[in-house]
Structure formats: C-alpha cells, structure tokens
Amino acid sequence: QILKIHSFVRENAGKIISPSNKSTDSQLSSEFSHFNQYLYFLYAPTLVFRDVYPRTSTIRWNIVFQMFGQVLIGTILLYHVIAYYWMPVFARCFTDTKLTYPSVITSIFDLMLPGVLFFVIGFYGFFHCWLNGFAELLRFADRTFYQDWWNATSSGTFWRSWNIVVHDWLHVYVYKDLIKLFSGNKKLSAICVVIFSAILHEYCMSIVFGFCSVIFIVWFGLVGMFLRIVFPHSKGTLWNIIILTMTPISLAVVPYFYALEISARHFPSNR
C-alpha cells in the first residue's frame, strides 16, 4: 500500500502545485482525483495510479471463482511444501550446534527442489490467479502482470519481465527520476534501481520476520549490480541457462540464511 500511496500522491501533487500544466498522459486528468478513483486504485492490480484504466464490459464470474479457487489450492500446496520439505531442513539449522561446509551444502541442495516448487506455485498463485481474479472482479483490462521470464536471454530482460507490476512502479517513479538526476546516465540509473529494489525487498522481509538483515541486499542487490556492470549487453542461450541455474540456487540460499539468522537470534544456546 505504501507504493500505491506514493503513486497517488505523485500523480496528484502536480495538479495542486501547477494546475495549469496538463499531463501528456491521456489516462490522467488535470483535475484532482476523486475518492472513488483512489478507492478503485487501492484494489486494482497495479501500483501506478491513473484516473482512468482500460475496463472490460462485464465480469466473468466463472473466471473469478476459478482464479480464487486455484489460489486456495495453491495455498494448501504451499503449506505442504513448507511443512514436509522445508521445515525438516530448517530444523537442522535450529538444532545443529556446529556448522560445517558439508552440512551447509547438503542443506542448500535439500532446499533447491522445494524452493523451486514454492516459487512456481507461489508465482502462479499470486501473479496469475490472484491478480487476474481481482482484475476480472474489477473489470481491469490490463492483464499483463508478467511475461515469459523463463525464456529471458539477458539479466535485464529477466528483471523486467518476471514482475511487471513492481517493474512499472520502479520505472515510472524511480528510474525516470534517476535518469533526470544523473543527466541521462541509463546504466547508473539501472544499477541504482536494482539496489533500491533489493532494499525494498529487504524492508518487506524485515516486516515479516521482525529483524533486518542484508541477505536480499547482498544476494540480489550486489549480485544483480555485478551482472549489470560486468555483462551489460550479454544475451543468448547461455544467459538463459545461467538464469535458470541461478534461480533454484537463490531459492535455496536465501531461505537457508534466513533460517540461520532466526536460529542465531532465537536459539543462541545452540551456537
């Protein structure tokens, strides 16, 4: 909701400060937005505020029930993945008195397949079912919430396509501002966006777990920045293989280190 509030304020602040300047966006009016427009925006599956969105003519209730039904099934499947595949590995983090390289590597490999299952089910449940369900319920016509990130042949394409909802917000309110700030330096602006995105994800995780670490910042921010700097224009099948290889590793390493952090904070006697 913070991102939505920021978008609403940004799009309406200019109407108050400079009411004579008309927006070039046809979906933004020169008048201050009404409360019903803000209320619709709060539930719409987008983070970029517009006074008018493309709308469908009718609500297909069968699609609504189908999407939310699949969300329910996905939630049950995620519970089983966590309870029967993740928790036994996490239990070792809480009970092992000494960490060794073999135990760390074994735990990471044990988390890879469950991590992929968790990601695929969660991704489909949220980005496809949940967002499409709300889009259909609100007659929201723009249903491009993700693209075929699994076919990405460059790091930039991957980051742009796997979460278009957040990417649009970052592009409109962060990237464009940084372009102006850095006098059109696209490379530096893109690197800053990657770091900002990592910090934003870390902030969300700190709300969930109640503590702030640097796992997301290091793994996604620094690694993502490294890829952008070293291989800015690299494309091809090799990049797709690298992305598909790094994804399961990331889905194992990140939760494992969070489990270690929780263990160190709440079970210090085992360390």
Side-chain angles (χ1 to χ4, degrees), residues 56-99:
T56 58
S57 57
T58 58
I59 299 176
R60 296 174 295 177
W61 289 102
N62 60 321
I63 300 296
V64 174
F65 289 117
Q66 178 183 341
M67 291 294 103
F68 288 123
Q70 292 181 21
V71 170
L72 178 61
I73 295 173
T75 303
I76 297 173
L77 292 176
L78 288 178
Y79 168 78
H80 281 273
V81 170
I82 295 173
Y84 295 104
Y85 294 97
W86 267 6
M87 291 310 298
V89 181
F90 292 157
R92 296 205 297 263
C93 299
F94 301 150
T95 56
D96 289 348
T97 57
K98 185 178 180 181
L99 289 178

Short mmCIF file of all heavy atoms in Angstrom, two decimals, residues 56-99:
data_model
loop_
_atom_site.label_atom_id
_atom_site.label_comp_id
_atom_site.label_asym_id
_atom_site.label_seq_id
_atom_site.Cartn_x
_atom_site.Cartn_y
_atom_site.Cartn_z
N THR A 56 -13.07 -3.78 -18.90
CA THR A 56 -13.86 -4.73 -19.68
C THR A 56 -15.34 -4.44 -19.47
O THR A 56 -15.72 -3.74 -18.53
CB THR A 56 -13.55 -6.18 -19.25
OG1 THR A 56 -13.80 -6.32 -17.85
CG2 THR A 56 -12.09 -6.51 -19.54
N SER A 57 -16.16 -5.00 -20.32
CA SER A 57 -17.59 -4.67 -20.27
C SER A 57 -18.34 -5.44 -19.19
O SER A 57 -19.29 -4.92 -18.60
CB SER A 57 -18.23 -4.95 -21.64
OG SER A 57 -18.02 -6.30 -22.02
N THR A 58 -17.93 -6.66 -18.92
CA THR A 58 -18.65 -7.50 -17.96
C THR A 58 -17.67 -8.23 -17.04
O THR A 58 -16.48 -8.31 -17.33
CB THR A 58 -19.53 -8.55 -18.67
OG1 THR A 58 -18.69 -9.37 -19.50
CG2 THR A 58 -20.60 -7.88 -19.51
N ILE A 59 -18.22 -8.76 -15.96
CA ILE A 59 -17.45 -9.61 -15.04
C ILE A 59 -17.76 -11.07 -15.34
O ILE A 59 -18.93 -11.47 -15.29
CB ILE A 59 -17.78 -9.30 -13.57
CG1 ILE A 59 -17.46 -7.85 -13.23
CG2 ILE A 59 -17.01 -10.23 -12.64
CD1 ILE A 59 -17.86 -7.45 -11.82
N ARG A 60 -16.75 -11.83 -15.65
CA ARG A 60 -16.95 -13.27 -15.89
C ARG A 60 -16.75 -13.99 -14.56
O ARG A 60 -15.64 -14.28 -14.15
CB ARG A 60 -15.96 -13.77 -16.94
CG ARG A 60 -16.17 -13.14 -18.32
CD ARG A 60 -15.07 -13.57 -19.28
NE ARG A 60 -13.77 -13.06 -18.84
CZ ARG A 60 -12.61 -13.33 -19.46
NH1 ARG A 60 -12.61 -14.11 -20.54
NH2 ARG A 60 -11.48 -12.83 -19.01
N TRP A 61 -17.87 -14.27 -13.90
CA TRP A 61 -17.80 -14.82 -12.55
C TRP A 61 -17.17 -16.20 -12.52
O TRP A 61 -16.58 -16.60 -11.51
CB TRP A 61 -19.19 -14.85 -11.94
CG TRP A 61 -19.69 -13.48 -11.60
CD1 TRP A 61 -20.59 -12.73 -12.29
CD2 TRP A 61 -19.28 -12.69 -10.47
NE1 TRP A 61 -20.78 -11.51 -11.68
CE2 TRP A 61 -19.99 -11.46 -10.55
CE3 TRP A 61 -18.41 -12.88 -9.41
CZ2 TRP A 61 -19.85 -10.45 -9.61
CZ3 TRP A 61 -18.25 -11.88 -8.47
CH2 TRP A 61 -18.97 -10.68 -8.57
N ASN A 62 -17.29 -16.95 -13.60
CA ASN A 62 -16.65 -18.26 -13.62
C ASN A 62 -15.13 -18.13 -13.56
O ASN A 62 -14.44 -18.94 -12.92
CB ASN A 62 -17.07 -19.04 -14.88
CG ASN A 62 -16.68 -18.31 -16.16
OD1 ASN A 62 -16.78 -17.08 -16.24
ND2 ASN A 62 -16.26 -19.05 -17.17
N ILE A 63 -14.59 -17.09 -14.19
CA ILE A 63 -13.15 -16.83 -14.12
C ILE A 63 -12.76 -16.41 -12.71
O ILE A 63 -11.71 -16.83 -12.19
CB ILE A 63 -12.74 -15.76 -15.14
CG1 ILE A 63 -13.07 -16.21 -16.57
CG2 ILE A 63 -11.26 -15.43 -15.02
CD1 ILE A 63 -12.30 -17.44 -17.01
N VAL A 64 -13.59 -15.59 -12.08
CA VAL A 64 -13.30 -15.13 -10.72
C VAL A 64 -13.21 -16.32 -9.77
O VAL A 64 -12.23 -16.46 -9.01
CB VAL A 64 -14.38 -14.14 -10.24
CG1 VAL A 64 -14.16 -13.78 -8.77
CG2 VAL A 64 -14.37 -12.88 -11.09
N PHE A 65 -14.22 -17.19 -9.79
CA PHE A 65 -14.22 -18.35 -8.89
C PHE A 65 -13.09 -19.32 -9.24
O PHE A 65 -12.50 -19.94 -8.36
CB PHE A 65 -15.57 -19.05 -8.95
CG PHE A 65 -16.68 -18.28 -8.30
CD1 PHE A 65 -17.76 -17.82 -9.04
CD2 PHE A 65 -16.64 -17.98 -6.94
CE1 PHE A 65 -18.77 -17.10 -8.44
CE2 PHE A 65 -17.65 -17.25 -6.33
CZ PHE A 65 -18.72 -16.80 -7.08
N GLN A 66 -12.80 -19.44 -10.52
CA GLN A 66 -11.72 -20.33 -10.94
C GLN A 66 -10.38 -19.83 -10.42
O GLN A 66 -9.57 -20.61 -9.89
CB GLN A 66 -11.69 -20.42 -12.47
CG GLN A 66 -10.56 -21.29 -13.01
CD GLN A 66 -10.52 -21.30 -14.53
OE1 GLN A 66 -11.50 -20.99 -15.19
NE2 GLN A 66 -9.38 -21.65 -15.08
N MET A 67 -10.13 -18.52 -10.56
CA MET A 67 -8.85 -17.96 -10.13
C MET A 67 -8.67 -18.07 -8.61
O MET A 67 -7.64 -18.53 -8.12
CB MET A 67 -8.75 -16.50 -10.56
CG MET A 67 -8.62 -16.27 -12.07
SD MET A 67 -7.07 -16.91 -12.78
CE MET A 67 -7.66 -18.41 -13.56
N PHE A 68 -9.68 -17.66 -7.86
CA PHE A 68 -9.55 -17.70 -6.41
C PHE A 68 -9.60 -19.13 -5.88
O PHE A 68 -9.02 -19.43 -4.82
CB PHE A 68 -10.65 -16.85 -5.76
CG PHE A 68 -10.42 -15.38 -5.92
CD1 PHE A 68 -11.38 -14.58 -6.53
CD2 PHE A 68 -9.25 -14.78 -5.49
CE1 PHE A 68 -11.17 -13.22 -6.69
CE2 PHE A 68 -9.03 -13.43 -5.65
CZ PHE A 68 -9.99 -12.64 -6.25
N GLY A 69 -10.26 -20.03 -6.59
CA GLY A 69 -10.21 -21.44 -6.22
C GLY A 69 -8.81 -22.01 -6.37
O GLY A 69 -8.34 -22.78 -5.52
N GLN A 70 -8.14 -21.61 -7.43
CA GLN A 70 -6.76 -22.06 -7.63
C GLN A 70 -5.82 -21.44 -6.60
O GLN A 70 -4.82 -22.07 -6.21
CB GLN A 70 -6.30 -21.72 -9.04
CG GLN A 70 -7.01 -22.52 -10.12
CD GLN A 70 -6.53 -22.19 -11.52
OE1 GLN A 70 -5.44 -21.67 -11.71
NE2 GLN A 70 -7.35 -22.49 -12.51
N VAL A 71 -6.12 -20.23 -6.16
CA VAL A 71 -5.33 -19.62 -5.08
C VAL A 71 -5.45 -20.46 -3.81
O VAL A 71 -4.45 -20.71 -3.11
CB VAL A 71 -5.80 -18.17 -4.82
CG1 VAL A 71 -5.15 -17.63 -3.54
CG2 VAL A 71 -5.44 -17.28 -5.99
N LEU A 72 -6.66 -20.91 -3.51
CA LEU A 72 -6.87 -21.74 -2.32
C LEU A 72 -6.11 -23.05 -2.42
O LEU A 72 -5.44 -23.48 -1.47
CB LEU A 72 -8.37 -22.01 -2.14
CG LEU A 72 -8.76 -22.90 -0.96
CD1 LEU A 72 -8.32 -22.28 0.36
CD2 LEU A 72 -10.26 -23.15 -0.95
N ILE A 73 -6.18 -23.69 -3.58
CA ILE A 73 -5.46 -24.94 -3.78
C ILE A 73 -3.94 -24.70 -3.68
O ILE A 73 -3.21 -25.49 -3.06
CB ILE A 73 -5.81 -25.56 -5.15
CG1 ILE A 73 -7.29 -25.96 -5.17
CG2 ILE A 73 -4.94 -26.77 -5.45
CD1 ILE A 73 -7.79 -26.42 -6.53
N GLY A 74 -3.48 -23.61 -4.28
CA GLY A 74 -2.06 -23.29 -4.21
C GLY A 74 -1.59 -23.04 -2.79
O GLY A 74 -0.47 -23.43 -2.42
N THR A 75 -2.44 -22.40 -1.98
CA THR A 75 -2.08 -22.16 -0.58
C THR A 75 -1.91 -23.46 0.18
O THR A 75 -0.98 -23.62 0.98
CB THR A 75 -3.17 -21.30 0.09
OG1 THR A 75 -3.33 -20.07 -0.64
CG2 THR A 75 -2.79 -20.98 1.53
N ILE A 76 -2.79 -24.42 -0.08
CA ILE A 76 -2.68 -25.73 0.56
C ILE A 76 -1.39 -26.44 0.12
O ILE A 76 -0.68 -27.03 0.95
CB ILE A 76 -3.91 -26.59 0.23
CG1 ILE A 76 -5.18 -25.94 0.80
CG2 ILE A 76 -3.75 -28.01 0.77
CD1 ILE A 76 -6.46 -26.61 0.37
N LEU A 77 -1.08 -26.35 -1.16
CA LEU A 77 0.15 -26.97 -1.66
C LEU A 77 1.38 -26.31 -1.06
O LEU A 77 2.36 -27.00 -0.71
CB LEU A 77 0.19 -26.88 -3.19
CG LEU A 77 -0.85 -27.71 -3.95
CD1 LEU A 77 -0.75 -27.44 -5.45
CD2 LEU A 77 -0.67 -29.20 -3.67
N LEU A 78 1.36 -24.99 -0.92
CA LEU A 78 2.49 -24.30 -0.31
C LEU A 78 2.69 -24.72 1.14
O LEU A 78 3.83 -24.86 1.60
CB LEU A 78 2.28 -22.78 -0.39
CG LEU A 78 2.41 -22.14 -1.77
CD1 LEU A 78 2.13 -20.65 -1.69
CD2 LEU A 78 3.80 -22.38 -2.35
N TYR A 79 1.59 -24.92 1.84
CA TYR A 79 1.69 -25.39 3.22
C TYR A 79 2.39 -26.74 3.29
O TYR A 79 3.25 -26.97 4.14
CB TYR A 79 0.30 -25.48 3.85
CG TYR A 79 0.30 -26.22 5.17
CD1 TYR A 79 0.73 -25.59 6.34
CD2 TYR A 79 -0.09 -27.56 5.24
CE1 TYR A 79 0.75 -26.26 7.55
CE2 TYR A 79 -0.07 -28.24 6.45
CZ TYR A 79 0.35 -27.59 7.60
OH TYR A 79 0.38 -28.27 8.79
N HIS A 80 2.04 -27.63 2.38
CA HIS A 80 2.67 -28.96 2.37
C HIS A 80 4.15 -28.87 2.01
O HIS A 80 4.97 -29.60 2.57
CB HIS A 80 1.93 -29.88 1.39
CG HIS A 80 0.66 -30.44 1.94
ND1 HIS A 80 0.61 -31.59 2.68
CD2 HIS A 80 -0.62 -29.99 1.87
CE1 HIS A 80 -0.64 -31.85 3.04
NE2 HIS A 80 -1.41 -30.89 2.56
N VAL A 81 4.49 -27.99 1.08
CA VAL A 81 5.91 -27.82 0.72
C VAL A 81 6.70 -27.32 1.92
O VAL A 81 7.79 -27.83 2.22
CB VAL A 81 6.05 -26.85 -0.46
CG1 VAL A 81 7.52 -26.49 -0.69
CG2 VAL A 81 5.47 -27.46 -1.73
N ILE A 82 6.14 -26.34 2.64
CA ILE A 82 6.84 -25.79 3.80
C ILE A 82 6.93 -26.81 4.93
O ILE A 82 8.00 -27.02 5.53
CB ILE A 82 6.13 -24.51 4.28
CG1 ILE A 82 6.22 -23.42 3.23
CG2 ILE A 82 6.74 -24.02 5.60
CD1 ILE A 82 5.41 -22.18 3.55
N ALA A 83 5.80 -27.46 5.22
CA ALA A 83 5.75 -28.36 6.37
C ALA A 83 6.55 -29.63 6.18
O ALA A 83 7.20 -30.11 7.13
CB ALA A 83 4.29 -28.70 6.68
N TYR A 84 6.54 -30.19 4.97
CA TYR A 84 7.13 -31.51 4.77
C TYR A 84 8.48 -31.49 4.07
O TYR A 84 9.17 -32.52 4.05
CB TYR A 84 6.16 -32.40 3.98
CG TYR A 84 4.88 -32.68 4.73
CD1 TYR A 84 3.70 -32.03 4.39
CD2 TYR A 84 4.86 -33.57 5.79
CE1 TYR A 84 2.52 -32.27 5.08
CE2 TYR A 84 3.69 -33.82 6.50
CZ TYR A 84 2.52 -33.17 6.13
OH TYR A 84 1.37 -33.40 6.82
N TYR A 85 8.86 -30.35 3.49
CA TYR A 85 10.13 -30.31 2.78
C TYR A 85 11.07 -29.24 3.33
O TYR A 85 12.28 -29.48 3.42
CB TYR A 85 9.88 -30.05 1.29
CG TYR A 85 9.17 -31.19 0.60
CD1 TYR A 85 7.80 -31.15 0.39
CD2 TYR A 85 9.87 -32.31 0.16
CE1 TYR A 85 7.14 -32.20 -0.23
CE2 TYR A 85 9.23 -33.36 -0.46
CZ TYR A 85 7.85 -33.30 -0.66
OH TYR A 85 7.21 -34.34 -1.26
N TRP A 86 10.54 -28.07 3.68
CA TRP A 86 11.39 -27.02 4.20
C TRP A 86 11.68 -27.17 5.69
O TRP A 86 12.82 -27.06 6.11
CB TRP A 86 10.75 -25.65 3.93
CG TRP A 86 11.22 -25.03 2.66
CD1 TRP A 86 12.02 -25.60 1.71
CD2 TRP A 86 10.91 -23.72 2.19
NE1 TRP A 86 12.23 -24.73 0.67
CE2 TRP A 86 11.57 -23.57 0.93
CE3 TRP A 86 10.16 -22.67 2.68
CZ2 TRP A 86 11.49 -22.40 0.19
CZ3 TRP A 86 10.07 -21.50 1.94
CH2 TRP A 86 10.73 -21.36 0.71
N MET A 87 10.65 -27.41 6.48
CA MET A 87 10.83 -27.41 7.93
C MET A 87 11.82 -28.46 8.43
O MET A 87 12.58 -28.18 9.36
CB MET A 87 9.47 -27.58 8.62
CG MET A 87 8.55 -26.38 8.47
SD MET A 87 9.35 -24.80 8.88
CE MET A 87 9.75 -25.06 10.61
N PRO A 88 11.86 -29.68 7.85
CA PRO A 88 12.90 -30.61 8.31
C PRO A 88 14.32 -30.09 8.10
O PRO A 88 15.20 -30.34 8.93
CB PRO A 88 12.64 -31.87 7.46
CG PRO A 88 11.19 -31.80 7.12
CD PRO A 88 10.92 -30.34 6.93
N VAL A 89 14.53 -29.35 7.01
CA VAL A 89 15.85 -28.77 6.78
C VAL A 89 16.10 -27.62 7.74
O VAL A 89 17.19 -27.48 8.30
CB VAL A 89 15.98 -28.30 5.32
CG1 VAL A 89 17.36 -27.71 5.07
CG2 VAL A 89 15.72 -29.45 4.36
N PHE A 90 15.08 -26.79 7.94
CA PHE A 90 15.23 -25.67 8.87
C PHE A 90 15.46 -26.18 10.29
O PHE A 90 16.16 -25.53 11.09
CB PHE A 90 13.99 -24.79 8.84
CG PHE A 90 13.82 -24.04 7.54
CD1 PHE A 90 12.57 -23.58 7.15
CD2 PHE A 90 14.90 -23.80 6.71
CE1 PHE A 90 12.41 -22.89 5.95
CE2 PHE A 90 14.76 -23.12 5.51
CZ PHE A 90 13.50 -22.67 5.13
N ALA A 91 14.87 -27.32 10.62
CA ALA A 91 15.05 -27.88 11.97
C ALA A 91 16.51 -28.18 12.24
O ALA A 91 16.98 -28.05 13.38
CB ALA A 91 14.20 -29.14 12.13
N ARG A 92 17.24 -28.58 11.20
CA ARG A 92 18.67 -28.83 11.37
C ARG A 92 19.41 -27.55 11.71
O ARG A 92 20.39 -27.56 12.46
CB ARG A 92 19.25 -29.47 10.11
CG ARG A 92 18.69 -30.84 9.79
CD ARG A 92 19.68 -31.65 8.95
NE ARG A 92 19.95 -31.03 7.67
CZ ARG A 92 19.33 -31.38 6.54
NH1 ARG A 92 18.39 -32.32 6.56
NH2 ARG A 92 19.64 -30.80 5.40
N CYS A 93 18.95 -26.43 11.13
CA CYS A 93 19.58 -25.14 11.44
C CYS A 93 19.37 -24.77 12.90
O CYS A 93 20.23 -24.14 13.53
CB CYS A 93 19.00 -24.04 10.55
SG CYS A 93 19.26 -24.29 8.78
N PHE A 94 18.21 -25.15 13.45
CA PHE A 94 17.89 -24.78 14.83
C PHE A 94 18.54 -25.71 15.85
O PHE A 94 18.70 -25.34 17.01
CB PHE A 94 16.38 -24.79 15.04
CG PHE A 94 15.64 -23.85 14.13
CD1 PHE A 94 14.35 -24.13 13.71
CD2 PHE A 94 16.23 -22.68 13.67
CE1 PHE A 94 13.66 -23.27 12.87
CE2 PHE A 94 15.56 -21.82 12.83
CZ PHE A 94 14.27 -22.11 12.42
N THR A 95 18.90 -26.93 15.42
CA THR A 95 19.41 -27.92 16.38
C THR A 95 20.90 -28.20 16.25
O THR A 95 21.53 -28.61 17.22
CB THR A 95 18.64 -29.24 16.22
OG1 THR A 95 18.75 -29.70 14.86
CG2 THR A 95 17.17 -29.06 16.56
N ASP A 96 21.45 -28.00 15.06
CA ASP A 96 22.89 -28.26 14.89
C ASP A 96 23.70 -27.28 15.73
O ASP A 96 23.50 -26.07 15.66
CB ASP A 96 23.30 -28.14 13.42
CG ASP A 96 22.77 -29.29 12.58
OD1 ASP A 96 22.29 -30.28 13.18
OD2 ASP A 96 22.82 -29.20 11.34
N THR A 97 24.61 -27.82 16.50
CA THR A 97 25.44 -26.97 17.35
C THR A 97 26.65 -26.42 16.61
O THR A 97 27.26 -25.46 17.06
CB THR A 97 25.91 -27.76 18.58
OG1 THR A 97 26.62 -28.93 18.13
CG2 THR A 97 24.71 -28.17 19.43
N LYS A 98 26.99 -27.03 15.50
CA LYS A 98 28.16 -26.60 14.76
C LYS A 98 27.89 -26.69 13.27
O LYS A 98 27.40 -27.71 12.78
CB LYS A 98 29.38 -27.45 15.12
CG LYS A 98 30.67 -26.98 14.48
CD LYS A 98 31.84 -27.84 14.92
CE LYS A 98 33.15 -27.36 14.28
NZ LYS A 98 34.30 -28.20 14.70
N LEU A 99 28.19 -25.62 12.57
CA LEU A 99 28.02 -25.59 11.12
C LEU A 99 29.30 -26.06 10.44
O LEU A 99 30.39 -25.61 10.78
CB LEU A 99 27.67 -24.18 10.64
CG LEU A 99 26.28 -23.65 10.99
CD1 LEU A 99 26.14 -22.22 10.49
CD2 LEU A 99 25.20 -24.52 10.38
#
